[in-house]
Amino acid sequence: MTYGFPPGGLPDQSVHPDGTAVFTSAYAVIPAVTQRDIVTSFLPGWKDMRMWVLARPLSGFAETFSQYAVEVMPGGGSDTPEVDPEAQSVIFVTDGTLTLNIDGAKHKLTDGGYAYVPPDAVWTLWNDGDGPARFHWVRKRYVGAEGVDLPEAFVTSDQETAPVVMPDCDGVWATTRFVDPADLRHDMHVNIVTFQPGGRIPFAETHVMEHGLYVLQGTADYLLNKDWVPVGPGDFMWLRAFCPQACITTGDEPFRYLLYKDVNRHMPL
């Protein structure tokens, strides 16, 4: 299994700068080709890391979450990765090996590894391997609810979690759900959606959940509001609430993406 990640580097001078990046009030497309070395950032409290910021709370952009693609060199990492005690995190590893310690429990994460870190957790993350480690990091400030406990930390993987086939689709559309949708402790889901070749979303989804989508594998034509946009590995899409969306797979391999959405809470008034 391979997982998309920013390519880094820099195109040579023969490449024309026309591109497929799009930024609108309803959606944004940040193609892999734009995720280069010159747009990386670094974080205080980290050693030998860099990251691409794909989404952040911003007027006219993401409202509920931030999303980073992070690369950590051997020996790099942090004993204080999170500075906001109200933030919860999902870590999804694309390649390499990471050692994650959550409240004293140590875990090894490799390709496809998935971890949920609740708010107020004490955690560390280090690359103890021989090569770079890369991961997607989704953060959301937790919204509590009366009578609902905080969710607990857990670690699993893409390989350990069986996809759930969607109804009435002949098996070509499935969702790897790392959290039970009925578990009201969670106010966000970060899942993997998989379409087999020829699969599609057969209607324009239009709903309240904000989305961040990072393409892990394969290609598709994706409907964003009124526009069909071709996407492939490493491309990131942001969709505001109620932005119509659908997709039709292209190519001869599965189309897979990491999907963020906010769920299970009253709408703030």
Side-chain angles (χ1 to χ4, degrees):
M1 187 74 69
T2 60
Y3 301 104
F5 195 79
L10 193 68
D12 64 43
Q13 291 293 295
S14 68
V15 177
H16 195 276
D18 282 348
T20 57
V22 182
F23 191 92
T24 76
S25 60
Y27 72 89
V29 179
I30 304 175
V33 70
T34 69
Q35 299 164 31
R36 298 297 186 170
D37 289 355
I38 61 173
V39 293
T40 56
S41 297
F42 309 96
L43 285 178
W46 283 76
K47 176 185 176 184
D48 294 335
M49 70 84 75
R50 64 176 183 169
M51 67 179 186
W52 289 263
V53 178
L54 301 168
R56 55 159 290 186
L58 183 72
S59 176
F61 193 40
E63 296 181 350
T64 62
F65 74 109
S66 69
Q67 186 161 343
Y68 310 148
V70 184
E71 183 176 65
V72 184
M73 294 295 105
S78 178
D79 285 329
T80 55
E82 180 56 72
V83 296
D84 186 344
E86 297 181 47
Q88 59 189 320
S89 293
V90 163
I91 301 293
F92 181 76
V93 180
T94 64
D95 59 290
T97 302
L98 290 165
T99 300
L100 172 66
N101 190 309
I102 309 175
D103 293 328
K106 185 177 290 188
H107 309 274
K108 284 283 187 183
L109 299 176
T110 58
D111 301 16
Y114 183 107
Y116 171 76
V117 184
D120 279 332
V122 177
W123 60 289
T124 66
L125 191 67
W126 289 91
N127 178 0
D128 297 325
D130 297 328
R134 301 177 179 91
F135 65 95
H136 295 287
W137 182 5
V138 179
R139 303 168 61 242
K140 179 185 183 296
R141 183 166 290 177
Y142 185 72
V143 178
E146 186 175 355
V148 176
D149 294 333
L150 280 174
E152 299 171 349
F154 68 87
V155 174
T156 183
S157 71
D158 183 16
Q159 296 81 357
E160 295 175 81
T161 309
V164 177
V165 176
M166 304 296 282
D168 303 320
C169 70
D170 298 323
V172 299
W173 177 10
T175 303
T176 304
R177 294 185 175 128
F178 298 99
V179 168
D180 183 346
D183 186 346
L184 295 183
R185 296 177 302 168
H186 288 272
D187 69 343
M188 74 168 179
H189 292 162
V190 180
N191 299 327
I192 295 177
V193 179
T194 301
F195 291 91
Q196 299 302 323
R200 64 180 59 196
I201 298 176
F203 68 104
E205 293 188 25
T206 308
H207 53 66
V208 69
M209 282 87 81
E210 182 177 34
H211 277 345
L213 292 82
Y214 198 95
V215 180
L216 300 173
Q217 179 187 2
T219 59
D221 291 330
Y222 216 97
L223 175 65
L224 299 165
N225 200 7
K226 297 181 179 181
D227 306 315
W228 285 96
V229 179
V231 293
D235 292 344
F236 176 78
M237 293 170 275
W238 163 76
L239 288 69
R240 71 171 300 163
F242 300 107
C243 176
Q245 61 162 308
C247 74
I248 300 174
T249 59
T250 55
D252 56 3
E253 65 177 322
F255 174 61
R256 310 186 79 212
Y257 54 83
L258 190 70
L259 171 69
Y260 160 86
K261 60 182 177 181
D262 51 315
V263 295
N264 297 343
R265 290 297 183 267
H266 268 300
M267 301 300 102
L269 301 178

